[in-house]
Amino acid sequence: MNILLAEDDVRLGELIVHMLKKKAGYHTDWVTTGNEALEQAFSAAYQLLILDWMMPDGDGVFVCKELRKEGYMGAILMLTARDTLSDRIEGLDAGADDYLVKPFELDELLARIRALSRRNYAPIQEEEVHLGEGLLSRNHQKILFSQGEVQLTPREFQLLDLLIRNKGLVLSREVILERIWGLEAEVNMKTIDATVKLLRKKLSPFEHEDIIESVRGVGYKLEI
């Protein structure tokens, strides 16, 4: 199971990551802000997001709502010190699947994770997907060819994966900007074009640079 932890308490975050990786054997990534959680949630096909209610840049309820609005289908477990009935209802109504009140025992967290893993949160993205004659590994964010491999940066991977999930459809630069960087990010449309250019350059030695097509005045689409 791939798990994304969003927790700004460094000591607690380190404890949870250590337990999930060493004791339970889960692949676990850790971010410390809500914006990072929004940005990272779709990048590695996470089946579970463990989300702290309060973070430096906002609350987990907002993050939870935004992820569900964007189509995140994995399980969401909220961590919080707020334990009133109205708080629990607010978190669940935002799209959370479970709720754990701080302080908690790490063994209880593991039990909650096991319970959530038994539920069906389909569709789950395949960890590997064919890309022409190559194979995109979502877990390792790279493309494997018989002649070698292409290692992608996080932005390159997110952009390519977005195009793959919308294969054959034209995605405008505005949509790409919103999904990958966020509308409030201090980047412009030239950043998207530059990222596409770098992707094509990496794919060029394997004669796959043409799979990302430019649609003049609009954006890009993937044709395989």
Side-chain angles (χ1 to χ4, degrees):
M1 174 186 282
N2 290 335
I3 296 176
L4 176 63
L5 171 66
E7 170 60 66
D8 67 307
D9 185 319
V10 174
R11 181 176 176 275
L12 179 58
E14 289 176 345
L15 283 172
I16 292 175
V17 170
H18 177 78
M19 179 195 65
L20 294 180
K21 286 185 174 182
K22 303 297 183 182
K23 187 172 182 178
Y26 296 129
H27 174 87
T28 308
D29 293 323
W30 176 25
V31 296
T32 57
T33 69
N35 283 332
E36 288 176 312
L38 286 169
E39 188 176 290
Q40 185 77 7
F42 295 95
S43 68
Y46 295 105
Q47 285 84 38
L48 171 65
L49 170 59
I50 302 173
L51 182 63
D52 186 27
W53 185 296
M54 293 301 297
M55 286 178 282
D57 56 346
D59 63 55
V61 170
F62 172 78
V63 174
C64 191
K65 287 180 179 177
E66 289 299 304
L67 286 172
R68 293 307 191 199
K69 190 186 301 181
E70 290 293 320
Y72 178 72
M73 298 295 290
I76 297 178
L77 171 62
M78 298 282 289
L79 303 179
T80 179
R82 305 171 68 168
D83 61 353
T84 67
L85 176 60
S86 61
D87 289 330
R88 291 196 296 272
I89 291 173
E90 183 181 4
L92 295 171
D93 282 347
D97 298 285
D98 201 356
Y99 191 102
L100 191 56
V101 178
K102 298 178 180 179
F104 53 83
E105 295 293 332
L106 293 177
D107 284 340
E108 182 182 2
L109 175 59
L110 272 180
R112 299 291 186 98
I113 291 172
R114 288 194 297 269
L116 287 170
S117 70
R118 291 193 290 268
R119 301 181 190 177
N120 181 15
Y121 293 96
I124 294 175
Q125 289 180 305
E126 298 175 276
E127 293 182 356
E128 295 181 335
V129 59
H130 286 282
L131 186 67
E133 296 176 2
L135 192 67
L136 173 69
S137 169
R138 287 191 167 107
N139 278 344
H140 299 96
Q141 298 189 10
K142 61 183 178 182
I143 308 169
L144 307 173
F145 292 97
S146 59
Q147 312 97 308
E149 64 181 45
V150 177
Q151 186 66 54
L152 304 174
T153 67
R155 292 299 190 198
E156 291 168 351
F157 168 77
Q158 290 169 8
L159 176 55
L160 182 59
D161 196 40
L162 179 64
L163 291 169
I164 288 173
R165 286 187 280 117
N166 295 275
K167 183 172 63 176
L169 300 177
V170 178
L171 298 184
S172 68
R173 287 177 173 82
E174 289 78 12
V175 167
I176 294 172
L177 178 64
E178 177 184 359
R179 296 295 180 89
I180 305 300
W181 284 269
L183 292 177
E184 297 181 359
E186 296 181 0
V187 298
N188 54 38
M189 301 304 173
K190 290 183 179 179
T191 303
I192 299 172
D193 297 336
T195 305
V196 170
K197 184 176 180 180
L198 290 170
L199 259 175
R200 286 172 170 162
K201 185 176 181 180
K202 288 185 175 181
L203 292 169
S204 178
F206 305 97
E207 300 181 352
H208 274 59
E209 68 273 20
D210 293 336
I211 64 174
I212 303 175
E213 295 187 10
S214 300
V215 180
R216 188 177 180 84
V218 181
Y220 297 95
K221 71 174 180 176
L222 189 77
E223 288 290 353
I224 301 176

